[in-house]
Amino acid sequence: MAMFSNAKSATGLVILAIFTLVAILAPLIAPYDPTAQHLDQTLQPPSFQHLLGTTHIGEDVFSQMVYGTRGVLVVGFLATIMATVVAIVVGVTAGYLRGWKSESLSALSHVFLVIPGLPLMIIIASQFADPPLWVIAAVLGLTGWAWGARVLRAQTMSLRNRDFIQAARANGEPLHRIILVEMLPNLMAIIASSFVGTMTAAVLGLTTLAFIGVIPVSNLNWGTILFWAQQNNAFPDYWWWYVPAGLCIALVGVALALINFGIDEYVNPRLRSAGERARAMRKKGLDLNAAVTSVRTQPASTRTDEAGAQPGENHAKEPVR
């Protein structure tokens, strides 16, 4: 698959896999309890004892980063799965059906598309004293499905008049089989791209809610680390408290963007063929950025010998382009 042969998407998958392993193996990687206080070691810079320094009450920042990875990925994946499922159901159904049913589902997605997501997330999340992770994920998923549904509806509308769909309908295939067997395989690339974009929005939404204090501090993630750093005036002197969390958020975003490059190459035939040509040129040692590509030619004497000419004859060399 072009996605896995693409160096950018492969790099993104490796970065995301590393974060996933950190989240799974957090109790083994973290050297301290993330909430343990060492009052005699407050605001210590990075050292061998505390790799990323300590907070204002002596908490180990590295341990908080490791455990915070778990919260970010759990909420990110749960919210993305919920939003993707809703987008598939609403978008594909609205694209395949006709009449008022299709228009009603399309209007529903348009309503959620224009609803301001952040204020709605703040209102819903603030109704819980200590919201569990699945509630936070549900809020993010509820506000993140509309764009994917709109894209899937447009693509489904272009598929429903194709010959293989018409043939399945003429053979009396049930609706669920036409959608699951005939349509969904042709929509998988778009679904995957929507999944990546929705997860990016979910991670940014979670860290934003935590940073502004909507999510309780008991839900440890990178956003709560930034929240406590900002509340205790860590900017700019105590850089080890807030820079690692910001870098991790940026790295997750970069990894998802790189994965999306591979998905785009897989979906778009022009990008896929261009990528294959570029990889083939690199294998031959040719410079992709050269304005003019030189053509390798054999010496004139060798060419004339192969053509049956007498050796020693004078032949003009072909110009090199």
Side-chain angles (χ1 to χ4, degrees):
M1 184 183 294
M3 176 180 174
F4 298 103
S5 60
N6 187 300
K8 294 180 180 179
S9 59
T11 303
L13 289 171
V14 170
I15 296 174
L16 194 60
I18 291 174
F19 278 114
T20 303
L21 287 176
V22 170
I24 295 173
L25 303 176
L28 301 177
I29 297 175
Y32 302 96
D33 185 334
T35 59
Q37 300 179 9
H38 304 85
L39 298 178
D40 59 335
Q41 300 177 8
T42 59
L43 296 175
Q44 294 295 313
S47 62
F48 289 107
Q49 187 176 2
H50 299 283
L51 296 179
L52 293 178
T54 60
T55 67
H56 67 298
I57 54 177
E59 296 171 328
D60 184 67
V61 177
F62 178 74
S63 299
Q64 291 186 343
M65 290 292 302
V66 171
Y67 277 91
T69 304
R70 176 177 294 180
V72 169
L73 292 187
V74 168
V75 173
F77 277 111
L78 284 178
T80 304
I81 291 172
M82 293 178 187
T84 302
V85 170
V86 176
I88 292 173
V89 173
V90 175
V92 176
T93 305
Y96 184 80
L97 298 178
R98 301 172 187 269
W100 67 271
K101 296 179 180 179
S102 175
E103 295 300 326
S104 299
L105 292 174
S106 178
L108 178 64
S109 63
H110 289 165
V111 169
F112 276 88
L113 194 62
V114 298
I115 289 179
L118 185 59
L120 180 62
M121 288 188 288
I122 294 174
I123 294 173
I124 296 177
S126 62
Q127 301 303 311
F128 298 87
D130 188 8
L133 292 179
W134 70 266
V135 172
I136 301 172
V139 173
L140 295 172
L142 180 66
T143 58
W145 62 269
W147 180 259
R150 185 176 181 180
V151 174
L152 287 173
R153 177 179 181 268
Q155 188 65 22
T156 304
M157 291 178 66
S158 68
L159 286 176
R160 70 185 181 187
N161 295 322
R162 300 285 180 87
D163 293 340
F164 64 96
I165 299 295
Q166 297 294 337
R169 186 182 299 133
N171 290 334
E173 299 288 349
L175 176 61
H176 70 274
R177 189 183 185 283
I178 293 177
I179 293 178
L180 294 177
V181 178
E182 302 293 343
M183 282 192 167
L184 280 185
N186 294 280
L187 297 173
M188 288 307 297
I190 297 177
I191 293 173
S193 180
S194 176
F195 186 93
V196 172
T198 304
M199 186 170 180
T200 304
V203 170
L204 293 177
L206 171 66
T207 53
T208 301
L209 289 175
F211 178 70
I212 63 179
V214 175
I215 297 177
V217 295
S218 58
N219 293 323
L220 186 62
N221 60 71
W222 300 333
T224 57
I225 296 174
L226 294 175
F227 168 80
W228 282 116
Q230 188 270 338
Q231 289 293 314
N232 292 278
N233 300 319
F235 305 91
D237 296 330
Y238 308 115
W239 59 267
W240 58 86
W241 196 349
Y242 57 88
V243 168
L247 287 178
C248 285
I249 296 172
L251 273 177
V252 171
V254 169
L256 294 173
L258 291 175
I259 293 173
N260 205 28
F261 278 121
I263 296 175
D264 288 341
E265 183 173 320
Y266 177 73
V267 173
N268 193 327
R270 291 185 179 180
L271 292 178
R272 185 166 62 248
S273 60
E276 292 173 354
R277 288 196 300 268
R279 285 188 288 272
M281 292 177 66
R282 280 194 294 265
K283 289 181 179 179
K284 294 180 179 179
L286 299 177
D287 186 6
L288 300 178
N289 299 320
V292 179
T293 303
S294 61
V295 178
R296 297 180 180 178
T297 58
Q298 295 178 345
S301 59
T302 306
R303 292 198 305 271
T304 54
D305 289 344
E306 293 177 354
Q310 295 295 328
E313 294 181 357
N314 294 327
H315 298 274
K317 293 184 179 181
E318 295 182 2
V320 178
R321 293 181 295 172

